Amino acid sequence: MDQNLTEELKKTFKGDIATDDATLMSFSHDASLFEVKPKVVVYPKDATDVQNLVKFVEEHKKNHPELSLTGRAAGTDMGGGSINESIIVSFGKYFIHGPSLNGKVATVEPGVFYRDFEKETLKQNLIFASYPASRELCAMGGIVNNNSGGEKSLQYGKTENFVKRAKVVLRDGNVYELKALNEAELKAKMEQKDFEGDLYRNMFKLINDNYDTLNKAKPDVTKNSAGYYLWNVYDKEKGIFDLTKLWVGAQGTLGLLLEADLELVPVHQHRDMLIIFLHDMSHLDQIIKEVLALNPESFESYDDNTLLLALKYFPEFAKQLGPLGMIQAGFAFLPAFFDMFTGRHLPKLVLQVDFTSNDLAEVEQKVATLKEKLRPLHPQTQIAEENQEKKYWLVRRESFNLLRKKIRNKHTAPFIDDFVIKPEYIAEVIPQVTDILKKHPEFIFTVAGHVGNGNFHIIPIVDINNPSVRTAIPEIAKQVYEIVSKYHGSITGEHNDGYIRTPYLEQMYGKEIVSLFEQTKQIFDPDNIFNPGKKVHGSLEFAMNHIRTNW
């Protein structure tokens, strides 16, 4: 953005504006593969600042078509969703108020870190159930805009289930509230002779005219962050039309979020965890079936490569945890160290099954029942001792967080990191996917995920400067997504599209549905002000040309 435009912006913008090289380079990265340098980073102080930003871009867009706005909270997106070449709107400096609780509903601004949010909700014995694995790193704006999910999504579902209201700024620069409307309220909105009335009339027509087509397009899985969730907006049976169902997961491509009302759930008093160690996956499908029949709160997994990674890079792993974390990590990995040094094979897959309830006898009974059901399959199992569940979650969560960092001369390459298939297909699909990766020996990879939802995070570790690695990325992605589509799954369950997956949405949904996505973007944002290149009109060539080389 040239100096004249920057000076003009300052006339109506009270917040901070940064154009120095250090800031621009910092905001040219998130947790993805990409480097996309913005022209300016702005830190709005209040809603009026955000409104004036939108009006500024709208006013100058004709003569400066490159202008756009990308909202950013903590910048932990793994798909490149929080970077762009124009204006980054950082909410992490001033939009940090909340949560304020009203019963089981928390109102919060987008820049609040989840770790701080949870400290306040736990004071009321409440929790936001769809927090992601990056819980110590991420902020609430990213959780809402990406439709995040995590270890508790098996029981509670994703963020889309918990957003009751969204306060947003749309393309006309005005503030609106999105929430569930009944038929009378919807009719009143559509009768308005203004921007909001046009928005509701056009969206209702698009969804109602294509109602059956959209519902058939909905992926046959319990978690999905791909595309716009048009099938979720209009519930004909209940007569409810709810644009929060579209906004959640739209990745800031429809406008900018100011605050959200989020429903919380009570924390259960008791929990019990069964750890299942599998040295082969011959009975995996049957084990999954027996586990899911008992309705666990979470059902997670990680493979032997995840353990080996943590062991191989243990100093880096332990360092990021701090002194106490190092001690805890040492104890957590002690059995694995013993197995490795004595030449014994690590388990191929570790499954964590977490049961919770306010009735201690209930969770104990479920663990006992599961052990009995699994006895004929002869898996090695271990009940986590009281208050020892944390050491298993340590491996699961922190090994995933380690994958966000550079490890010596290698870096993680998240590009097939979030696909979803129905749990009954796991034993078929995972070997097919890993066979594709094994054909590329330059890719070291781990397999971990939310096995109860069939949602897997396969994150290769590579030398990204190796030309063969950069060439292989789109080839591998195409092959993996062909398998996912064959099983009617989703290419992303919770990490969203960003630069990395938007080009593959047509492969997943087909041209007709992608056309409806494009029409949705046109209704909300015809001038392409908000976060261009994500959800629609994504370019694989642009993505591959912006892979980061310096870490």
Side-chain angles (χ1 to χ4, degrees), residues 82-196:
S82 59
I83 51 180
N84 84 12
E85 295 182 296
S86 186
I87 303 171
I88 298 294
V89 185
S90 177
F91 289 96
K93 191 171 186 178
Y94 297 113
F95 279 75
I96 53 174
H97 302 101
S100 60
L101 272 65
N102 181 11
K104 292 183 180 180
V105 175
T107 301
V108 68
E109 291 183 342
V112 175
F113 279 100
Y114 176 78
R115 59 179 182 257
D116 298 324
F117 178 89
E118 186 182 90
K119 287 176 186 175
E120 296 303 313
T121 67
L122 284 176
K123 292 177 182 177
Q124 304 298 322
N125 198 44
L126 297 169
I127 197 167
F128 183 66
S130 64
Y131 63 80
S134 58
R135 49 182 286 154
E136 299 302 317
L137 309 171
C138 67
M140 303 308 295
I143 286 176
V144 171
N145 283 295
N146 279 328
N147 191 20
S148 293
E151 60 205 41
K152 293 183 185 295
S153 294
L154 176 61
Q155 183 169 111
Y156 293 105
K158 295 181 62 192
T159 298
E160 62 194 290
N161 295 343
F162 300 101
V163 176
K164 299 303 165 187
R165 180 187 65 97
K167 185 178 179 181
V168 304
V169 177
L170 300 181
R171 68 173 173 88
D172 65 344
N174 290 323
V175 176
Y176 297 95
E177 289 192 351
L178 307 179
K179 60 183 180 180
L181 304 178
N182 61 33
E183 291 178 341
E185 291 168 330
L186 174 62
K187 183 180 179 182
K189 288 285 188 188
M190 292 196 295
E191 288 177 348
Q192 293 176 195
K193 305 300 182 183
D194 55 13
F195 169 79
E196 188 179 27

Side-chain angles (χ1 to χ4, degrees), residues 190 200-216 230 234 236 241 512-513 516 519 523:
M190 292 196 295
Y200 274 94
R201 281 191 298 274
N202 289 327
M203 286 307 304
F204 178 79
K205 178 173 172 52
L206 184 147
I207 293 171
N208 193 53
D209 288 354
N210 298 280
Y211 191 83
D212 292 337
T213 299
L214 287 169
N215 279 286
K216 288 177 183 175
L230 294 168
Y234 185 28
K236 281 189 175 183
F241 194 85
E512 183 179 11
I513 298 301
L516 295 177
Q519 292 174 52
I523 291 169

Side-chain angles (χ1 to χ4, degrees), residues 368-489:
T369 299
L370 181 57
K371 286 197 70 173
E372 187 62 30
K373 293 282 188 181
L374 298 182
R375 192 181 303 278
L377 306 178
H378 307 293
Q380 180 185 352
T381 62
Q382 180 176 330
I383 299 175
E385 296 178 16
E386 188 175 0
N387 298 320
Q388 290 299 305
E389 299 93 346
K390 288 182 180 179
K391 78 174 185 178
Y392 296 101
W393 281 117
L394 182 75
V395 181
R396 172 68 181 89
R397 290 173 182 153
E398 297 305 330
S399 61
F400 184 74
N401 289 335
L402 180 66
L403 295 176
R404 295 172 175 268
K405 299 177 180 289
K406 182 178 180 179
I407 309 172
R408 300 174 197 175
N409 68 327
K410 297 185 184 295
H411 203 281
T412 53
F415 67 99
I416 53 165
D417 50 291
D418 192 38
F419 67 85
V420 192
I421 37 87
K422 293 181 80 169
E424 54 260 41
Y425 299 140
I426 289 173
E428 295 178 42
V429 171
I430 295 302
Q432 294 180 55
V433 171
T434 55
D435 283 348
I436 291 171
L437 284 164
K438 288 174 183 177
K439 295 175 183 176
H440 301 269
E442 62 271 32
F443 285 74
I444 302 170
F445 64 91
T446 64
V447 180
H450 315 290
V451 67
N453 294 106
N455 180 199
F456 281 87
H457 305 309
I458 297 185
I459 306 181
I461 303 165
V462 297
D463 175 4
I464 201 64
N465 292 309
N466 183 339
S468 64
V469 167
R470 299 162 79 91
T471 301
I473 285 173
E475 296 174 359
I476 293 171
K478 185 175 185 297
Q479 293 172 41
V480 170
Y481 295 152
E482 284 175 354
I483 295 171
V484 171
S485 296
K486 176 183 173 184
Y487 287 86
H488 308 290

